[in-house]
């Protein structure tokens, strides 16, 4: 009696997906993209709605730029923007410099108190922001820095520098020590070696540090609201709160302000994005 022989199925090459799996993957990516983009798109559409339609669920029927005109002409938005640019810009520059020099010193040199210093930088990241508002408020009051941009800059540096210094140390650990030795052979002092040889190789790490410092200062709300009073002295984060009070809510103006606030952060991200992945990966591989 003849027996039928079934041929075994050909094995699918490694790394390929079945059509069903491919469809499921693409559907998931499309759904995730829609979920991510929808809130941003809705804020943009809300900023173009007339005041009476701001909280409606309809799409824009009568688009208008009245919210933007009101924001720029009848509020202190330009003052808030200038204050935020000042605070975020100085925080970014000082944060990058302090974090880079600290990370390089800890990566390359051995000195008394090095381990306690690194532990101190690590421990400061464990405290929630809320419990630090009162002691920092009292400290800034004693120093006369309340309602001053310098007070916010110092506060934001205490948030950004510890994390960035740890990250920069991990990045500098990936740069061969032989480069430092070649600099000393050429007659460079430690700072000259750091400035001329190491920093050009550390652009990805510097980009991540700059981006983190900028975002920390640009979008922070709690300290900006507690330390700054008077509409002309507020930053953008504090200024947004003036559109929502106990009795009224100007959602159109708030949406327009949110769109304008997001533009500088998006531009900063576009300039730094090509270095961000490499910098974050290198900073996380060694500690």
């Amino acid at each position: 009696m003849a027996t039928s022989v079934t041929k075994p199925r050909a094995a699918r090459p490694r790394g390929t997906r079945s059509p069903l799996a491919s469809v499921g993957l693409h559907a998931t990516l499309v759904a995730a993209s829609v979920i991510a983009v929808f809130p941003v798109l809705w804020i943009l559409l809300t900023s173009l709605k007339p005041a009476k339609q701001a909280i409606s669920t309809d799409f824009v029927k009568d688009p208008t730029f009245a919210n933007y005109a009101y924001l720029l002409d009848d509020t202190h938005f330009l003052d808030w923007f200038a204050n935020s640019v000042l605070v975020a810009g100085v925080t970014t520059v000082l944060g990058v410099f302090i974090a880079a020099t600290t990370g390089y010193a800890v990566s390359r040199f051995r000195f008394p108190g090095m381990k306690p210093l690194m532990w101190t930088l690590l421990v400061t990241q464990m405290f929630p922001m809320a419990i630090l508002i009162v002691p920092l408020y009292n400290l800034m009051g004693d120093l006369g820095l309340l309602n001053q941009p310098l007070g916010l800059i110092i506060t934001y540096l205490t948030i950004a520098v510890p994390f960035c210094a740890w990250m920069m140390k991990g990045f500098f650990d990936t740069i061969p020590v032989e480069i430092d030795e070649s600099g000393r052979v050429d007659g460079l002092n430690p700072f000259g070696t750091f400035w001329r040889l190491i920093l050009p190789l550390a652009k990805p790490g510097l980009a991540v540090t700059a981006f983190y410092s900028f975002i920390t200062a640009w979008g922070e709300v709690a300290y900006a609201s507690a330390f700054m009073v008077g509409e002309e002295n507020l930053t953008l984060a504090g200024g947004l709160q003036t559109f929502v009070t106990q009795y009224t809510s100007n959602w159109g103006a708030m949406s327009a302000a949110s769109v304008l606030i997001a533009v500088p952060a998006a531009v900063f991200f576009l300039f730094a994005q090509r270095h961000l992945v490499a910098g974050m990966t290198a900073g996380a591989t060694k500690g």
Side-chain angles (χ1 to χ4, degrees):
M1 183 176 180
T3 58
S4 60
V5 178
T6 58
K7 294 183 179 180
R9 292 184 179 179
R12 183 178 293 112
R14 180 174 296 181
T16 61
R17 291 186 295 269
S18 66
L20 182 61
S22 181
V23 170
L25 176 62
H26 284 82
T28 302
L29 293 176
V30 170
S33 300
V34 171
I35 293 173
V37 172
F38 180 78
V40 179
L41 179 60
W42 190 257
I43 290 176
L44 177 61
L45 294 177
T46 302
S47 71
L48 299 175
K49 293 180 180 180
K52 295 181 179 180
Q53 302 176 13
I55 59 175
S56 68
T57 57
D58 298 329
F59 284 92
V60 182
K61 294 181 179 179
D62 303 309
T64 176
F65 289 97
N67 293 320
Y68 292 93
Y70 168 78
L71 186 69
L72 298 176
D73 297 335
D74 300 331
T75 70
H76 291 275
F77 180 82
L78 294 179
D79 293 329
W80 306 338
F81 192 90
N83 294 337
S84 290
V85 169
L86 173 64
V87 171
V90 176
T91 300
T92 300
V93 173
L94 292 180
V96 170
F97 178 77
I98 297 173
T101 52
T102 302
Y104 179 74
V106 176
S107 174
R108 290 298 195 263
F109 304 106
R110 297 295 177 265
F111 51 89
M114 183 187 72
K115 288 186 177 180
L117 171 63
M118 297 307 295
W119 276 109
T120 300
L121 295 178
L122 183 62
V123 169
T124 56
Q125 300 298 300
M126 300 180 182
F127 292 97
M129 184 182 300
I131 68 173
L132 297 177
I133 291 180
V134 173
L136 283 175
Y137 184 91
N138 293 333
L139 179 61
M140 293 300 167
D142 294 339
L143 297 175
L145 295 178
L146 286 178
N147 214 34
Q148 298 291 331
L150 181 58
L152 276 184
I153 292 171
I154 295 174
T155 301
Y156 294 150
L157 287 174
T158 63
I159 300 173
V161 167
F163 171 78
C164 293
W166 261 101
M167 183 177 59
M168 289 304 301
K169 175 192 178 300
F171 189 85
F172 287 132
D173 286 344
T174 64
I175 299 178
V177 181
E178 288 75 14
I179 296 178
D180 301 68
E181 296 174 351
S182 66
R184 288 193 290 269
V185 170
D186 292 338
L188 294 175
N189 57 30
F191 184 80
T193 301
F194 167 74
W195 184 259
R196 296 186 179 184
L197 301 181
I198 303 301
L199 276 188
L201 300 176
K203 287 183 180 179
L206 295 176
V208 178
T209 299
F211 184 74
Y212 182 81
S213 300
F214 178 82
I215 293 300
T216 297
W218 187 256
E220 199 279 326
V221 177
Y223 293 123
S225 302
F227 295 175
M228 308 296 283
V229 296
E231 286 199 17
E232 68 279 1
N233 296 321
L234 297 177
T235 60
L236 288 169
L240 279 179
Q241 300 184 40
T242 63
F243 296 125
V244 179
T245 65
Q246 184 177 358
Y247 304 103
T248 61
S249 299
N250 192 338
W251 296 111
M254 177 178 286
S255 300
S258 300
V259 172
L260 296 181
I261 290 172
V263 171
V267 172
F268 196 97
F269 175 78
L270 289 177
F271 279 107
Q273 65 173 342
R274 65 191 181 112
H275 296 300
L276 288 178
V277 175
M280 294 181 68
T281 303
T285 54
K286 288 190 177 183

